[in-house]
Amino acid sequence: MPITHQFIRDAVIKRIQSGEWPLGSQIPAESDLATEYGCSRSTINRALQQLADEGLVVRKRKGGTRVCQAPVRQARFQIPMLREQIEHTGSTYQHRLLTREIKAAPDEICGRLGLRAADQPLYLETVHLADETPFALERRWVNTGTVPDVLNAPLDTISANEWLINTVPFSTGEVVFGAANASPSVAAALDISAGAAVFVVSRTTWLNHQSVTTLKLYYQPGYQLFSEL
Amino acid sequence: MPITHQFIRDAVIKRIQSGEWPLGSQIPAESDLATEYGCSRSTINRALQQLADEGLVVRKRKGGTRVCQAPVRQARFQIPMLREQIEHTGSTYQHRLLTREIKAAPDEICGRLGLRAADQPLYLETVHLADETPFALERRWVNTGTVPDVLNAPLDTISANEWLINTVPFSTGEVVFGAANASPSVAAALDISAGAAVFVVSRTTWLNHQSVTTLKLYYQPGYQLFSEL
DNA sequence: TAGTGGTCTAGACCACTCA
DNA sequence: GAGTGGTCTAGACCACTAT
């Protein structure tokens, strides 16, 4: 049975953890490891590249491969659709469209979406329910210049999020996590008391350098986002 | 110049975005794409595997490669050391060790670290300061069975986090993000008013199935965690 | 059972960068 | 200049699974 890149990966991690290759030290060259393990250089290369991806080693041409001194821990989060997130726990999902307006946006939103003051984006306010209980409040602005079809979408049937995912796939974006005290209006929508700490997710997406949408999600108090390191 | 896997990756994304390969549809087999682009199958394979990693396509043997119907958005977060995080903004970093005790842990902590009730883990409470202003409060339990040396570490000089990273490298772990109203004690440590919404990061790490440490970080209100999608 | 992706090999050329 | 990683090729065998 040939040596797999996974085997090499594990072996390298063990040799680092055992102290054989201390933090910051240089490890043997690919060709040497290939000889030692009796496999081809490609296999070593693939294993070490994966470790570099994960931030455990740093590689430089001619400089060789070094064990990362202070490995930057990375966490990968799944950002699922709220419906899947809720149905996955066995609850029933519903959403209620509270507001649907076409109007000028505040400066902050214009800046984020790259709109001129005269533009008229679509503003949506939606409550997502799990078992008829408010789960999250969504406040969203959609750039109607980029996605004009959104004005004809049946947003009371399908949530704006799902409609956009199916219509504008593979956009790029950014996410920001934070915490905030629930404002009176947020508290009312979530049926909680004002001032309660809510988890906030802000998201903005683009398609080919054109802004698509920006939104904030205010989660029910106690909500937690989980990930492995 | 040979075709690079990066070129193939970009080309595939363009063909998906253009609608040539709709959501959920099957795309040509690796060998066909290799013929079409005049490169070897390995190059196609590498490009498609990367896209599968990113969640844009799903691959199955014999089933072929399909464009992902509802791409699960993934965000990758860097979890830097607080010192780097603070110094990166140009502020000066300090930390103050408020509490250092060896004592039995509450049930919740015992469960998380896999301790027996009789075990005596190390409890540490630290404030991390940016320009002499409280930036985050850290409450940490360390499993002295796994890392007995921690009892001799100069934790007033080097923060527990840095000491552990340098001593117990490459442990596995999990992270949980959430929001909470500052309790009176948290508020006092951060010099804020009780009830303010703080961003909370909980982290637990293991080394070879042995728990190392678990901690909660309470950030100054307004703190945000940022990532690209 | 046949077609697909998963992987390894052996060889090659190149770009980078350290000494 | 020389050694390292980055990458592509052409070929091969195998594991899985849809039909």
Side-chain angles (χ1 to χ4, degrees):
Chain A
M1 182 173 108
I3 301 284
T4 70
H5 64 95
Q6 188 64 42
F7 177 86
I8 299 294
R9 189 191 112 95
D10 293 347
V12 169
I13 290 182
K14 275 182 201 134
R15 290 173 81 162
I16 294 175
Q17 284 184 338
S18 76
E20 180 181 347
W21 292 334
L23 295 188
S25 69
Q26 186 168 337
I27 75 178
E30 291 188 350
S31 48
D32 293 342
L33 288 173
T35 306
E36 175 182 343
Y37 285 101
C39 64
S40 76
R41 184 164 82 91
S42 325
T43 305
I44 304 289
N45 179 275
R46 185 162 175 187
L48 292 184
Q49 263 188 6
Q50 191 186 333
L51 290 175
D53 259 3
E54 298 166 11
L56 300 188
V57 300
V58 179
R59 320 192 72 199
K60 264 191 271 184
R61 282 158 152 139
K62 166 72 179 180
T65 302
R66 295 190 163 287
V67 181
C68 198
Q69 195 98 48
V72 176
R73 323 238 23 161
Q74 294 184 343
R76 242 195 188 184
F77 283 88
Q78 313 273 335
I79 315 274
M81 285 195 292
L82 279 165
R83 181 166 64 78
E84 289 174 357
Q85 198 171 347
I86 288 170
E87 289 178 347
H88 188 262
T89 69
S91 305
T92 64
Y93 170 77
Q94 291 175 295
H95 65 100
R96 195 149 37 215
L97 188 58
L98 302 182
T99 308
R100 182 190 180 285
E101 298 180 273
I102 298 168
K103 62 175 181 184
D107 285 351
E108 184 209 341
I109 303 296
C110 282
R112 203 171 305 173
L113 292 181
L115 300 174
R116 287 157 307 191
D119 285 330
Q120 299 269 307
L122 176 64
Y123 176 71
L124 301 166
E125 202 163 307
T126 310
V127 184
H128 300 266
L129 308 161
D131 286 336
E132 324 232 330
T133 305
F135 182 77
L137 169 67
E138 171 186 318
R139 289 178 167 167
R140 180 191 292 267
W141 295 86
V142 185
N143 185 343
T144 51
T146 308
V147 206
D149 289 351
V150 72
L151 296 172
N152 306 316
L155 295 181
D156 41 350
T157 311
I158 182 174
S159 77
N161 187 37
E162 290 187 53
W163 187 87
L164 283 167
I165 281 185
N166 290 324
T167 310
V168 191
F170 301 96
S171 42
T172 59
E174 66 173 45
V175 205
V176 180
F177 294 161
N181 292 104
S183 67
S185 59
V186 169
L190 289 177
D191 197 16
I192 58 177
S193 44
V198 294
F199 189 70
V200 185
V201 177
S202 310
R203 216 159 66 201
T204 305
T205 60
W206 291 269
L207 180 64
N208 295 330
H209 309 289
Q210 282 211 311
S211 70
V212 175
T213 186
T214 185
L215 69 136
K216 282 192 194 240
L217 276 171
Y218 302 85
Y219 282 87
Q220 187 69 229
Y223 172 79
Q224 292 188 322
L225 192 60
F226 173 94
S227 170
E228 302 208 335
L229 269 184
Chain B
M1 184 173 109
I3 302 283
T4 70
H5 64 95
Q6 189 64 42
F7 177 86
I8 299 294
R9 190 192 110 95
D10 293 347
V12 170
I13 290 183
K14 273 182 203 137
R15 290 173 82 161
I16 294 174
Q17 283 183 339
S18 77
E20 179 182 348
W21 294 333
L23 295 188
S25 69
Q26 187 170 335
I27 76 178
E30 291 187 351
S31 47
D32 292 343
L33 288 172
T35 307
E36 176 182 343
Y37 286 100
C39 63
S40 77
R41 183 164 83 89
S42 323
T43 304
I44 304 288
N45 179 276
R46 185 162 175 188
L48 292 184
Q49 263 188 8
Q50 191 186 335
L51 290 174
D53 258 3
E54 298 166 11
L56 300 189
V57 300
V58 179
R59 321 193 73 199
K60 264 190 276 189
R61 283 157 152 142
K62 166 73 179 177
T65 302
R66 293 186 166 282
V67 182
C68 198
Q69 195 96 49
V72 176
R73 322 240 22 165
Q74 295 183 344
R76 238 193 190 188
F77 284 88
Q78 313 272 336
I79 316 274
M81 285 196 292
L82 278 166
R83 181 165 65 78
E84 289 173 359
Q85 197 170 348
I86 288 171
E87 290 179 347
H88 188 264
T89 70
S91 305
T92 63
Y93 170 77
Q94 292 175 294
H95 64 101
R96 195 148 38 214
L97 188 59
L98 302 182
T99 307
R100 182 189 181 284
E101 296 181 275
I102 299 168
K103 62 175 182 185
D107 285 352
E108 184 210 341
I109 302 296
C110 282
R112 201 171 306 171
L113 291 181
L115 300 174
R116 288 156 308 194
D119 285 330
Q120 300 270 306
L122 176 63
Y123 176 71
L124 300 165
E125 202 164 306
T126 310
V127 184
H128 300 266
L129 307 161
D131 286 337
E132 324 235 329
T133 305
F135 182 78
L137 169 66
E138 171 186 317
R139 289 177 167 168
R140 179 191 292 267
W141 295 86
V142 185
N143 185 342
T144 50
T146 308
V147 205
D149 288 349
V150 73
L151 296 173
N152 305 317
L155 295 180
D156 41 350
T157 309
I158 183 174
S159 78
N161 187 36
E162 290 187 54
W163 187 88
L164 283 167
I165 282 186
N166 290 323
T167 310
V168 192
F170 303 95
S171 42
T172 58
E174 67 173 43
V175 205
V176 181
F177 292 161
N181 292 103
S183 66
S185 59
V186 169
L190 289 177
D191 197 17
I192 58 177
S193 45
V198 294
F199 189 71
V200 185
V201 177
S202 310
R203 213 159 69 202
T204 305
T205 60
W206 290 269
L207 179 64
N208 295 329
H209 310 288
Q210 281 211 313
S211 70
V212 176
T213 186
T214 185
L215 70 134
K216 283 192 193 238
L217 275 171
Y218 302 85
Y219 282 87
Q220 186 71 227
Y223 172 78
Q224 292 189 322
L225 191 59
F226 172 94
S227 169
E228 303 210 334
L229 269 181

PDB file of all heavy atoms in Angstrom, chain A residues 16 44 73 98 130 134 162 185 224:
ATOM      1  N   ILE A  16       6.164  17.161  15.277  1.00  0.00           N
ATOM      2  CA  ILE A  16       6.186  18.511  15.859  1.00  0.00           C
ATOM      3  C   ILE A  16       5.742  18.450  17.313  1.00  0.00           C
ATOM      4  O   ILE A  16       6.397  18.989  18.209  1.00  0.00           O
ATOM      5  CB  ILE A  16       5.263  19.454  15.059  1.00  0.00           C
ATOM      6  CG1 ILE A  16       5.815  19.657  13.647  1.00  0.00           C
ATOM      7  CG2 ILE A  16       5.137  20.787  15.779  1.00  0.00           C
ATOM      8  CD1 ILE A  16       4.906  20.465  12.757  1.00  0.00           C
ATOM      9  N   ILE A  44       4.659  14.289  -0.426  1.00  0.00           N
ATOM     10  CA  ILE A  44       5.147  15.166   0.639  1.00  0.00           C
ATOM     11  C   ILE A  44       4.641  16.584   0.406  1.00  0.00           C
ATOM     12  O   ILE A  44       4.147  17.252   1.314  1.00  0.00           O
ATOM     13  CB  ILE A  44       6.685  15.167   0.670  1.00  0.00           C
ATOM     14  CG1 ILE A  44       7.217  13.747   0.824  1.00  0.00           C
ATOM     15  CG2 ILE A  44       7.182  16.063   1.787  1.00  0.00           C
ATOM     16  CD1 ILE A  44       6.993  13.143   2.167  1.00  0.00           C
ATOM     17  N   ARG A  73      -4.496  30.629  15.127  1.00  0.00           N
ATOM     18  CA  ARG A  73      -5.617  29.699  15.120  1.00  0.00           C
ATOM     19  C   ARG A  73      -6.679  30.194  14.163  1.00  0.00           C
ATOM     20  O   ARG A  73      -7.021  31.358  14.153  1.00  0.00           O
ATOM     21  CB  ARG A  73      -6.203  29.566  16.525  1.00  0.00           C
ATOM     22  CG  ARG A  73      -5.150  29.607  17.582  1.00  0.00           C
ATOM     23  CD  ARG A  73      -5.125  28.401  18.453  1.00  0.00           C
ATOM     24  NE  ARG A  73      -5.690  27.232  17.873  1.00  0.00           N
ATOM     25  CZ  ARG A  73      -5.446  26.022  18.326  1.00  0.00           C
ATOM     26  NH1 ARG A  73      -4.632  25.862  19.332  1.00  0.00           N
ATOM     27  NH2 ARG A  73      -5.998  24.983  17.795  1.00  0.00           N
ATOM     28  N   LEU A  98     -42.146  42.045   7.889  1.00  0.00           N
ATOM     29  CA  LEU A  98     -42.739  43.154   8.644  1.00  0.00           C
ATOM     30  C   LEU A  98     -42.811  44.417   7.813  1.00  0.00           C
ATOM     31  O   LEU A  98     -43.774  45.175   7.891  1.00  0.00           O
ATOM     32  CB  LEU A  98     -41.909  43.437   9.904  1.00  0.00           C
ATOM     33  CG  LEU A  98     -41.725  42.286  10.886  1.00  0.00           C
ATOM     34  CD1 LEU A  98     -40.916  42.761  12.088  1.00  0.00           C
ATOM     35  CD2 LEU A  98     -43.076  41.744  11.334  1.00  0.00           C
ATOM     36  N   ALA A 130     -38.854  30.203  14.909  1.00  0.00           N
ATOM     37  CA  ALA A 130     -38.671  28.767  15.139  1.00  0.00           C
ATOM     38  C   ALA A 130     -39.801  28.333  16.056  1.00  0.00           C
ATOM     39  O   ALA A 130     -39.939  28.841  17.170  1.00  0.00           O
ATOM     40  CB  ALA A 130     -37.321  28.486  15.793  1.00  0.00           C
ATOM     41  N   PRO A 134     -40.036  34.054  17.946  1.00  0.00           N
ATOM     42  CA  PRO A 134     -39.016  34.821  17.222  1.00  0.00           C
ATOM     43  C   PRO A 134     -37.624  34.256  17.467  1.00  0.00           C
ATOM     44  O   PRO A 134     -37.242  33.998  18.607  1.00  0.00           O
ATOM     45  CB  PRO A 134     -39.157  36.225  17.821  1.00  0.00           C
ATOM     46  CG  PRO A 134     -40.553  36.291  18.320  1.00  0.00           C
ATOM     47  CD  PRO A 134     -40.879  34.892  18.788  1.00  0.00           C
ATOM     48  N   GLU A 162     -33.115  33.400   0.845  1.00  0.00           N
ATOM     49  CA  GLU A 162     -33.160  32.252  -0.065  1.00  0.00           C
ATOM     50  C   GLU A 162     -33.311  32.697  -1.507  1.00  0.00           C
ATOM     51  O   GLU A 162     -32.696  32.127  -2.413  1.00  0.00           O
ATOM     52  CB  GLU A 162     -34.323  31.322   0.326  1.00  0.00           C
ATOM     53  CG  GLU A 162     -34.069  30.604   1.634  1.00  0.00           C
ATOM     54  CD  GLU A 162     -35.128  29.561   1.926  1.00  0.00           C
ATOM     55  OE1 GLU A 162     -35.367  28.707   1.060  1.00  0.00           O
ATOM     56  OE2 GLU A 162     -35.725  29.611   3.014  1.00  0.00           O
ATOM     57  N   SER A 185     -37.054  48.765  19.449  1.00  0.00           N
ATOM     58  CA  SER A 185     -37.710  48.162  18.289  1.00  0.00           C
ATOM     59  C   SER A 185     -37.239  46.728  18.060  1.00  0.00           C
ATOM     60  O   SER A 185     -38.038  45.853  17.723  1.00  0.00           O
ATOM     61  CB  SER A 185     -37.459  49.020  17.044  1.00  0.00           C
ATOM     62  OG  SER A 185     -36.072  49.134  16.800  1.00  0.00           O
ATOM     63  N   GLN A 224     -25.809  31.040  20.192  1.00  0.00           N
ATOM     64  CA  GLN A 224     -24.355  30.884  20.132  1.00  0.00           C
ATOM     65  C   GLN A 224     -23.938  30.325  18.783  1.00  0.00           C
ATOM     66  O   GLN A 224     -24.638  29.517  18.187  1.00  0.00           O
ATOM     67  CB  GLN A 224     -23.877  29.938  21.233  1.00  0.00           C
ATOM     68  CG  GLN A 224     -24.034  30.522  22.622  1.00  0.00           C
ATOM     69  CD  GLN A 224     -23.387  29.659  23.673  1.00  0.00           C
ATOM     70  OE1 GLN A 224     -23.440  28.438  23.592  1.00  0.00           O
ATOM     71  NE2 GLN A 224     -22.769  30.291  24.660  1.00  0.00           N
TER      72      GLN A 224
END
